[in-house]
Amino acid sequence: MSTIKVFEETKPNRRRFLGTAAMTIAAAKLGTFGSKDAQASPLKLAGATARKAGANASFGPLKQIDAGLLNIGYAEAGPANGPGVILLHGWPYDIHSFVDVAAILASAGYRVVVPYLRGYGSTTFLSSSTMRNAQQSAVGLDIIALMDALKIQKAIVGGFDWGARTADVMATLWPERCKAIVSVSGYLISSPEGNQVPWPPEPAFLFWYQYYFATPVGKAGYAKYLDQFNKFIWHQASPKWNFDDATYDRTAASFKNPDHVDIVMHDYRWRLGLADGERKYDDLEKRLAALPPITVPTITMEGDSNGAIHAPSTAYRDKFSGKYEYRLITGGVGHNLPQEAPEAFAKAIVDVDKF
Protein backbone atom coordinates (compact mmCIF):
# COMPACT_ATOMS: atom_id res chain seq x y z
CA MET A 1 0.00 0.00 0.00
CA SER A 2 1.52 3.30 -1.04
CA THR A 3 1.48 6.33 1.21
CA ILE A 4 1.14 9.93 0.11
CA LYS A 5 3.18 12.63 1.77
CA VAL A 6 1.78 16.05 0.84
CA PHE A 7 3.80 19.26 0.87
CA GLU A 8 1.38 22.12 0.18
CA GLU A 9 2.52 25.59 -0.88
CA THR A 10 0.07 28.10 -2.29
CA LYS A 11 2.79 30.68 -2.93
CA PRO A 12 6.18 29.96 -4.49
CA ASN A 13 9.23 30.23 -2.31
CA ARG A 14 12.40 31.83 -3.61
CA ARG A 15 14.75 28.91 -3.83
CA ARG A 16 17.09 29.18 -6.74
CA PHE A 17 15.98 27.12 -9.73
CA LEU A 18 18.78 24.72 -10.61
CA GLY A 19 18.75 25.26 -14.37
CA THR A 20 17.56 23.88 -17.64
CA ALA A 21 19.76 20.81 -17.63
CA ALA A 22 18.31 19.50 -14.37
CA MET A 23 14.88 19.69 -15.87
CA THR A 24 16.03 17.86 -18.97
CA ILE A 25 17.30 14.98 -16.89
CA ALA A 26 13.97 14.90 -15.08
CA ALA A 27 12.22 14.79 -18.44
CA ALA A 28 13.61 11.35 -19.18
CA LYS A 29 11.89 10.03 -16.16
CA LEU A 30 8.31 11.56 -18.23
CA GLY A 31 -12.29 21.56 -21.88
CA THR A 32 -14.53 20.57 -19.65
CA PHE A 33 -17.13 18.33 -21.22
CA GLY A 34 -20.70 19.49 -20.87
CA SER A 35 -21.54 21.91 -18.10
CA LYS A 36 -18.66 23.96 -16.76
CA ASP A 37 -20.09 23.41 -13.28
CA ALA A 38 -19.97 19.63 -13.51
CA GLN A 39 -18.27 18.07 -10.49
CA ALA A 40 -17.09 14.56 -9.72
CA SER A 41 -18.78 12.73 -6.89
CA PRO A 42 -16.49 12.30 -3.86
CA LEU A 43 -18.64 9.40 -2.66
CA LYS A 44 -18.12 7.56 -5.91
CA LEU A 45 -14.41 8.22 -5.73
CA ALA A 46 -14.24 6.80 -2.22
CA GLY A 47 -15.71 3.56 -3.46
CA ALA A 48 -13.62 3.48 -6.59
CA THR A 49 -10.29 3.88 -4.84
CA ALA A 50 -10.63 0.41 -3.36
CA ARG A 51 -9.28 -0.80 -6.72
CA LYS A 52 -5.64 -1.82 -6.63
CA ALA A 53 -2.90 -1.61 -9.22
CA GLY A 54 -3.49 -4.22 -11.89
CA ALA A 55 -7.24 -4.50 -11.21
CA ASN A 56 -7.98 -3.75 -14.87
CA ALA A 57 -6.25 -5.57 -17.71
CA SER A 58 -7.52 -3.42 -20.57
CA PHE A 59 -9.75 -0.63 -21.76
CA GLY A 60 -12.91 -1.08 -23.77
CA PRO A 61 -12.78 -0.77 -27.56
CA LEU A 62 -10.39 1.97 -28.63
CA LYS A 63 -11.41 4.89 -30.82
CA GLN A 64 -9.67 6.72 -33.67
CA ILE A 65 -9.96 10.35 -34.74
CA ASP A 66 -8.16 12.65 -37.17
CA ALA A 67 -6.53 15.47 -35.21
CA GLY A 68 -3.92 17.83 -36.61
CA LEU A 69 -1.18 15.80 -38.31
CA LEU A 70 -2.35 12.49 -36.89
CA ASN A 71 -5.01 9.87 -36.76
CA ILE A 72 -4.99 9.37 -33.00
CA GLY A 73 -5.93 6.18 -31.22
CA TYR A 74 -7.35 6.70 -27.76
CA ALA A 75 -9.27 5.09 -24.94
CA GLU A 76 -12.27 6.86 -23.45
CA ALA A 77 -14.14 6.17 -20.23
CA GLY A 78 -16.76 7.83 -18.08
CA PRO A 79 -19.88 9.90 -18.74
CA ALA A 80 -19.91 12.12 -21.83
CA ASN A 81 -20.93 15.16 -19.77
CA GLY A 82 -18.39 14.68 -16.98
CA PRO A 83 -15.44 16.98 -16.28
CA GLY A 84 -12.72 16.30 -18.85
CA VAL A 85 -9.42 14.62 -17.99
CA ILE A 86 -6.65 13.85 -20.48
CA LEU A 87 -3.97 11.39 -19.38
CA LEU A 88 -0.62 11.21 -21.19
CA HIS A 89 1.93 8.38 -21.11
CA GLY A 90 5.68 8.47 -21.68
CA TRP A 91 8.50 6.26 -23.02
CA PRO A 92 8.68 3.30 -23.01
CA TYR A 93 5.08 3.03 -21.87
CA ASP A 94 1.62 3.48 -23.35
CA ILE A 95 -2.03 4.04 -22.46
CA HIS A 96 -2.08 0.98 -20.17
CA SER A 97 -0.18 3.02 -17.59
CA PHE A 98 -3.59 4.60 -16.90
CA VAL A 99 -5.89 1.59 -17.18
CA ASP A 100 -6.65 1.58 -13.45
CA VAL A 101 -6.57 5.37 -13.06
CA ALA A 102 -9.12 5.77 -15.87
CA ALA A 103 -11.47 3.26 -14.25
CA ILE A 104 -11.29 5.06 -10.91
CA LEU A 105 -11.90 8.48 -12.45
CA ALA A 106 -14.67 7.25 -14.74
CA SER A 107 -16.55 5.74 -11.80
CA ALA A 108 -16.13 9.07 -10.01
CA GLY A 109 -17.92 10.90 -12.83
CA TYR A 110 -15.06 12.13 -15.01
CA ARG A 111 -14.86 11.72 -18.76
CA VAL A 112 -11.36 10.39 -19.32
CA VAL A 113 -9.42 10.42 -22.61
CA VAL A 114 -6.14 8.48 -22.85
CA PRO A 115 -4.39 8.88 -26.24
CA TYR A 116 -1.47 7.06 -27.74
CA LEU A 117 1.26 9.64 -28.39
CA ARG A 118 2.73 9.92 -31.88
CA GLY A 119 4.78 6.81 -32.60
CA TYR A 120 2.78 4.53 -30.30
CA GLY A 121 -0.06 2.08 -30.71
CA SER A 122 -2.69 2.91 -33.29
CA THR A 123 -1.72 6.59 -33.65
CA THR A 124 -0.41 7.21 -37.16
CA PHE A 125 0.59 10.16 -39.31
CA LEU A 126 -1.93 11.24 -41.93
CA SER A 127 0.86 11.91 -44.45
CA SER A 128 3.96 9.88 -45.20
CA SER A 129 5.79 13.16 -45.91
CA THR A 130 5.33 14.58 -42.41
CA MET A 131 8.57 14.72 -40.45
CA ARG A 132 8.69 12.14 -37.65
CA ASN A 133 9.32 14.87 -35.12
CA ALA A 134 9.13 14.45 -31.34
CA GLN A 135 10.13 17.93 -30.19
CA GLN A 136 8.14 19.07 -27.17
CA SER A 137 6.00 21.74 -28.87
CA ALA A 138 4.94 19.38 -31.67
CA VAL A 139 3.73 16.76 -29.19
CA GLY A 140 1.92 19.46 -27.21
CA LEU A 141 0.14 20.60 -30.36
CA ASP A 142 -0.98 17.01 -30.98
CA ILE A 143 -2.98 17.07 -27.76
CA ILE A 144 -4.42 20.52 -28.44
CA ALA A 145 -5.52 19.19 -31.86
CA LEU A 146 -7.08 16.17 -30.16
CA MET A 147 -8.99 18.43 -27.78
CA ASP A 148 -10.24 20.46 -30.74
CA ALA A 149 -11.30 17.33 -32.62
CA LEU A 150 -13.19 16.06 -29.56
CA LYS A 151 -14.63 19.54 -28.90
CA ILE A 152 -13.00 19.75 -25.48
CA GLN A 153 -12.47 23.36 -24.58
CA LYS A 154 -10.71 22.77 -21.26
CA ALA A 155 -9.47 19.75 -19.33
CA ILE A 156 -7.33 18.59 -16.45
CA VAL A 157 -4.14 17.17 -17.98
CA GLY A 158 -2.08 14.56 -16.16
CA GLY A 159 1.02 12.68 -17.20
CA PHE A 160 4.43 11.21 -16.48
CA ASP A 161 7.68 11.11 -18.44
CA TRP A 162 6.97 12.47 -21.97
CA GLY A 163 3.38 12.91 -20.82
CA ALA A 164 4.37 15.13 -17.90
CA ARG A 165 6.57 17.20 -20.21
CA THR A 166 3.59 17.57 -22.55
CA ALA A 167 1.29 18.62 -19.72
CA ASP A 168 3.86 21.24 -18.69
CA VAL A 169 4.14 22.47 -22.28
CA MET A 170 0.38 22.75 -22.66
CA ALA A 171 0.01 24.62 -19.38
CA THR A 172 2.75 27.03 -20.47
CA LEU A 173 1.71 27.69 -24.07
CA TRP A 174 -2.06 27.21 -23.81
CA PRO A 175 -3.06 27.77 -20.16
CA GLU A 176 -6.60 28.59 -21.23
CA ARG A 177 -7.02 24.94 -22.29
CA CYS A 178 -5.77 23.49 -18.99
CA LYS A 179 -8.01 23.64 -15.93
CA ALA A 180 -5.13 22.16 -13.92
CA ILE A 181 -2.29 19.68 -14.34
CA VAL A 182 -0.76 16.73 -12.51
CA SER A 183 2.91 16.32 -13.46
CA VAL A 184 5.07 13.44 -12.26
CA SER A 185 8.65 14.63 -11.65
CA GLY A 186 7.69 18.28 -11.88
CA TYR A 187 8.81 20.83 -14.46
CA LEU A 188 10.20 19.04 -17.52
CA ILE A 189 10.38 21.79 -20.13
CA SER A 190 13.85 22.25 -21.62
CA SER A 191 15.67 23.27 -24.79
CA PRO A 192 18.57 21.88 -26.87
CA GLU A 193 20.64 24.95 -26.03
CA GLY A 194 20.03 24.51 -22.33
CA ASN A 195 21.02 20.86 -22.47
CA GLN A 196 24.64 21.46 -23.41
CA VAL A 197 25.86 21.49 -19.81
CA PRO A 198 28.06 18.40 -19.25
CA TRP A 199 27.11 16.10 -16.41
CA PRO A 200 29.29 14.29 -13.86
CA PRO A 201 29.59 10.51 -14.24
CA GLU A 202 26.74 9.30 -12.03
CA PRO A 203 23.84 11.22 -13.63
CA ALA A 204 25.35 10.68 -17.07
CA PHE A 205 25.40 6.93 -16.38
CA LEU A 206 21.75 6.91 -15.36
CA PHE A 207 20.89 8.63 -18.64
CA TRP A 208 22.96 6.17 -20.68
CA TYR A 209 20.28 5.43 -23.26
CA GLN A 210 20.13 9.04 -24.40
CA TYR A 211 23.77 8.86 -25.45
CA TYR A 212 23.32 5.39 -26.95
CA PHE A 213 20.45 6.71 -29.08
CA ALA A 214 22.70 9.49 -30.38
CA THR A 215 24.62 6.92 -32.44
CA PRO A 216 23.64 4.93 -35.55
CA VAL A 217 24.35 1.68 -33.71
CA GLY A 218 22.03 2.85 -30.93
CA LYS A 219 19.14 3.25 -33.35
CA ALA A 220 19.87 -0.14 -34.89
CA GLY A 221 20.19 -1.73 -31.45
CA TYR A 222 16.90 -0.27 -30.25
CA ALA A 223 15.09 -1.55 -33.35
CA LYS A 224 16.67 -5.01 -33.11
CA TYR A 225 16.17 -5.54 -29.38
CA LEU A 226 13.04 -3.44 -28.88
CA ASP A 227 11.24 -5.59 -26.33
CA GLN A 228 14.35 -6.53 -24.37
CA PHE A 229 15.48 -2.91 -24.35
CA ASN A 230 12.21 -1.47 -23.07
CA LYS A 231 11.69 -4.17 -20.48
CA PHE A 232 15.18 -3.42 -19.19
CA ILE A 233 14.22 0.27 -18.90
CA TRP A 234 11.10 -0.70 -16.94
CA HIS A 235 13.27 -2.57 -14.44
CA GLN A 236 15.78 0.29 -14.22
CA ALA A 237 13.10 2.96 -13.79
CA SER A 238 10.94 0.97 -11.32
CA PRO A 239 13.27 -1.41 -9.48
CA LYS A 240 10.64 -2.44 -6.91
CA TRP A 241 7.72 -2.90 -9.31
CA ASN A 242 7.07 -6.62 -9.74
CA PHE A 243 5.20 -6.48 -13.03
CA ASP A 244 4.52 -9.73 -14.87
CA ASP A 245 5.08 -10.60 -18.52
CA ALA A 246 1.42 -10.10 -19.41
CA THR A 247 1.50 -6.54 -18.06
CA TYR A 248 4.60 -5.72 -20.07
CA ASP A 249 3.34 -7.45 -23.21
CA ARG A 250 0.12 -5.41 -23.27
CA THR A 251 2.18 -2.26 -23.51
CA ALA A 252 4.91 -3.69 -25.73
CA ALA A 253 2.38 -4.18 -28.52
CA SER A 254 2.26 -0.39 -28.89
CA PHE A 255 5.97 -0.29 -29.79
CA LYS A 256 5.21 -2.08 -33.07
CA ASN A 257 4.02 1.25 -34.49
CA PRO A 258 5.93 1.86 -37.76
CA ASP A 259 7.08 5.29 -36.57
CA HIS A 260 8.06 4.30 -33.04
CA VAL A 261 11.81 3.97 -33.50
CA ASP A 262 12.10 7.20 -35.49
CA ILE A 263 10.04 9.13 -32.93
CA VAL A 264 12.09 7.85 -29.98
CA MET A 265 15.38 8.60 -31.72
CA HIS A 266 14.28 12.12 -32.65
CA ASP A 267 13.07 12.89 -29.14
CA TYR A 268 16.40 12.16 -27.48
CA ARG A 269 18.59 13.48 -30.28
CA TRP A 270 16.63 16.72 -30.48
CA ARG A 271 17.02 17.28 -26.75
CA LEU A 272 20.81 17.22 -27.14
CA GLY A 273 20.82 19.38 -30.27
CA LEU A 274 21.85 16.42 -32.44
CA ALA A 275 18.70 16.47 -34.59
CA ASP A 276 16.94 19.48 -36.00
CA GLY A 277 13.34 20.37 -35.36
CA GLU A 278 10.96 22.10 -37.75
CA ARG A 279 11.08 25.83 -38.33
CA LYS A 280 7.30 26.15 -37.93
CA TYR A 281 7.73 25.41 -34.21
CA ASP A 282 10.55 27.91 -33.63
CA ASP A 283 8.38 30.58 -31.98
CA LEU A 284 6.85 28.07 -29.60
CA GLU A 285 10.24 26.60 -28.73
CA LYS A 286 11.66 30.06 -28.12
CA ARG A 287 8.92 30.69 -25.56
CA LEU A 288 9.57 27.35 -23.89
CA ALA A 289 13.35 27.89 -23.83
CA ALA A 290 12.76 30.86 -21.51
CA LEU A 291 11.47 28.34 -18.92
CA PRO A 292 8.40 30.40 -18.01
CA PRO A 293 6.51 29.57 -14.82
CA ILE A 294 3.32 27.51 -14.97
CA THR A 295 0.35 29.48 -13.68
CA VAL A 296 -2.43 26.89 -13.65
CA PRO A 297 -3.16 24.87 -10.48
CA THR A 298 -0.69 22.00 -10.23
CA ILE A 299 0.15 18.91 -8.23
CA THR A 300 3.59 17.43 -8.85
CA MET A 301 4.35 13.89 -7.72
CA GLU A 302 7.29 11.55 -7.28
CA GLY A 303 7.65 7.89 -6.38
CA ASP A 304 10.11 7.16 -3.60
CA SER A 305 11.76 4.41 -5.70
CA ASN A 306 11.98 6.20 -9.03
CA GLY A 307 15.03 4.69 -10.71
CA ALA A 308 14.94 7.09 -13.62
CA ILE A 309 17.00 10.21 -13.11
CA HIS A 310 14.94 13.16 -11.92
CA ALA A 311 15.40 16.53 -10.26
CA PRO A 312 14.62 17.09 -6.56
CA SER A 313 11.31 18.85 -5.96
CA THR A 314 13.10 21.92 -4.59
CA ALA A 315 14.75 22.45 -7.98
CA TYR A 316 11.49 23.23 -9.76
CA ARG A 317 9.30 24.70 -7.00
CA ASP A 318 9.66 28.26 -8.28
CA LYS A 319 8.46 27.20 -11.73
CA PHE A 320 4.87 26.90 -10.47
CA SER A 321 3.27 30.22 -9.61
CA GLY A 322 -0.33 29.08 -9.12
CA LYS A 323 -1.76 26.99 -6.31
CA TYR A 324 0.58 24.06 -5.86
CA GLU A 325 1.24 20.84 -3.98
CA TYR A 326 4.09 18.36 -4.11
CA ARG A 327 3.38 14.74 -3.17
CA LEU A 328 5.91 12.01 -2.46
CA ILE A 329 4.38 8.58 -2.97
CA THR A 330 6.09 6.04 -0.72
CA GLY A 331 6.02 2.26 -0.60
CA GLY A 332 8.45 1.39 -3.38
CA VAL A 333 6.73 3.32 -6.17
CA GLY A 334 8.88 3.83 -9.24
CA HIS A 335 8.81 5.87 -12.42
CA ASN A 336 5.56 4.52 -13.87
CA LEU A 337 3.64 6.10 -11.02
CA PRO A 338 0.10 5.97 -12.47
CA GLN A 339 0.29 2.22 -13.07
CA GLU A 340 2.13 1.42 -9.86
CA ALA A 341 0.03 3.68 -7.60
CA PRO A 342 -3.23 4.37 -9.47
CA GLU A 343 -5.17 5.41 -6.38
CA ALA A 344 -2.64 8.11 -5.55
CA PHE A 345 -2.58 9.43 -9.11
CA ALA A 346 -6.37 9.44 -9.41
CA LYS A 347 -6.63 11.25 -6.07
CA ALA A 348 -4.26 13.92 -7.34
CA ILE A 349 -6.51 14.51 -10.37
CA VAL A 350 -9.60 14.84 -8.16
CA ASP A 351 -7.81 17.07 -5.66
CA VAL A 352 -6.31 19.45 -8.22
CA ASP A 353 -9.79 19.79 -9.73
CA LYS A 354 -10.80 21.47 -6.47
CA PHE A 355 -7.91 23.96 -6.35
Side-chain angles (χ1 to χ4, degrees):
M1 185 72 175
S2 61
T3 302
I4 305 173
K5 293 184 179 179
V6 178
F7 304 84
E8 181 174 4
E9 297 180 72
T10 57
K11 295 181 181 180
N13 60 33
R14 297 304 172 191
R15 295 187 183 96
R16 180 177 177 270
F17 181 58
L18 297 186
T20 306
M23 296 303 95
T24 303
I25 281 188
K29 286 311 13 131
L30 110 235
T32 303
F33 296 78
S35 168
K36 67 180 181 179
D37 296 321
Q39 296 293 325
S41 166
L43 295 177
K44 289 184 179 180
L45 180 67
T49 53
R51 307 181 190 200
K52 305 299 181 183
N56 298 275
S58 64
F59 294 98
L62 300 185
K63 301 180 180 182
Q64 298 289 143
I65 193 168
D66 287 351
L69 300 174
L70 305 172
N71 178 263
I72 296 179
Y74 65 100
E76 189 169 14
N81 64 344
V85 176
I86 297 176
L87 302 176
L88 304 173
H89 68 83
W91 173 84
Y93 306 95
D94 81 335
I95 62 174
H96 291 91
S97 290
F98 296 103
V99 68
D100 292 318
V101 173
I104 294 170
L105 293 176
S107 68
Y110 287 91
R111 186 176 182 180
V112 186
V113 174
V114 192
Y116 283 110
L117 298 186
R118 53 171 62 190
Y120 295 81
S122 59
T123 291
T124 56
F125 286 87
L126 295 174
S127 172
S128 60
S129 64
T130 302
M131 178 181 174
R132 275 36 180 177
N133 180 350
Q135 67 186 104
Q136 58 191 350
S137 59
V139 179
L141 276 169
D142 290 344
I143 309 307
I144 294 296
L146 175 63
M147 292 175 68
D148 290 343
L150 295 176
K151 297 180 171 28
I152 304 171
Q153 181 56 38
K154 201 167 192 175
I156 300 168
V157 183
F160 73 106
D161 198 89
W162 292 16
R165 177 186 65 178
T166 304
D168 293 344
V169 166
M170 292 172 65
T172 298
L173 296 178
W174 305 283
E176 71 280 1
R177 307 300 297 271
C178 301
K179 182 177 182 182
I181 66 170
V182 173
S183 179
V184 176
S185 297
Y187 189 91
L188 305 185
I189 296 169
S190 64
S191 70
E193 295 77 13
N195 296 337
Q196 301 308 307
V197 177
W199 285 92
E202 185 175 355
F205 169 74
L206 292 173
F207 218 179
W208 64 272
Y209 50 86
Q210 175 173 256
Y211 307 114
Y212 182 61
F213 290 161
T215 69
V217 72
K219 180 177 181 179
Y222 186 62
K224 182 176 182 178
Y225 300 106
L226 188 63
D227 284 337
Q228 293 166 260
F229 196 105
N230 289 342
K231 184 179 282 189
F232 180 80
I233 294 295
W234 278 33
H235 285 295
Q236 176 184 330
S238 299
K240 296 185 179 180
W241 181 32
N242 295 316
F243 60 89
D244 58 21
D245 288 341
T247 297
Y248 175 77
D249 290 343
R250 278 192 294 271
T251 288
S254 72
F255 308 145
K256 308 306 180 185
N257 183 293
D259 300 306
H260 179 75
V261 173
D262 287 339
I263 288 295
V264 172
M265 294 304 111
H266 187 265
D267 180 276
Y268 289 101
R269 292 175 179 182
W270 178 83
R271 295 188 198 195
L272 290 179
L274 300 176
D276 202 6
E278 294 180 85
R279 299 287 70 78
K280 62 183 178 180
Y281 302 123
D282 282 355
D283 288 345
L284 296 177
E285 293 295 347
K286 183 177 180 180
R287 290 168 59 188
L288 293 172
L291 303 180
I294 290 172
T295 60
V296 306
T298 300
I299 291 176
T300 64
M301 309 181 73
E302 195 63 77
D304 67 338
S305 294
N306 186 358
I309 197 159
H310 55 280
S313 62
T314 52
Y316 51 74
R317 175 60 189 94
D318 285 351
K319 306 310 291 182
F320 298 93
S321 61
K323 187 169 183 182
Y324 175 82
E325 283 184 9
Y326 166 72
R327 296 182 176 183
L328 176 65
I329 312 303
T330 62
V333 176
H335 185 53
N336 187 3
L337 193 154
Q339 195 163 0
E340 297 175 61
E343 297 174 14
F345 194 91
K347 186 177 191 308
I349 294 288
V350 174
D351 290 348
V352 81
D353 187 20
K354 300 171 185 176
F355 277 14

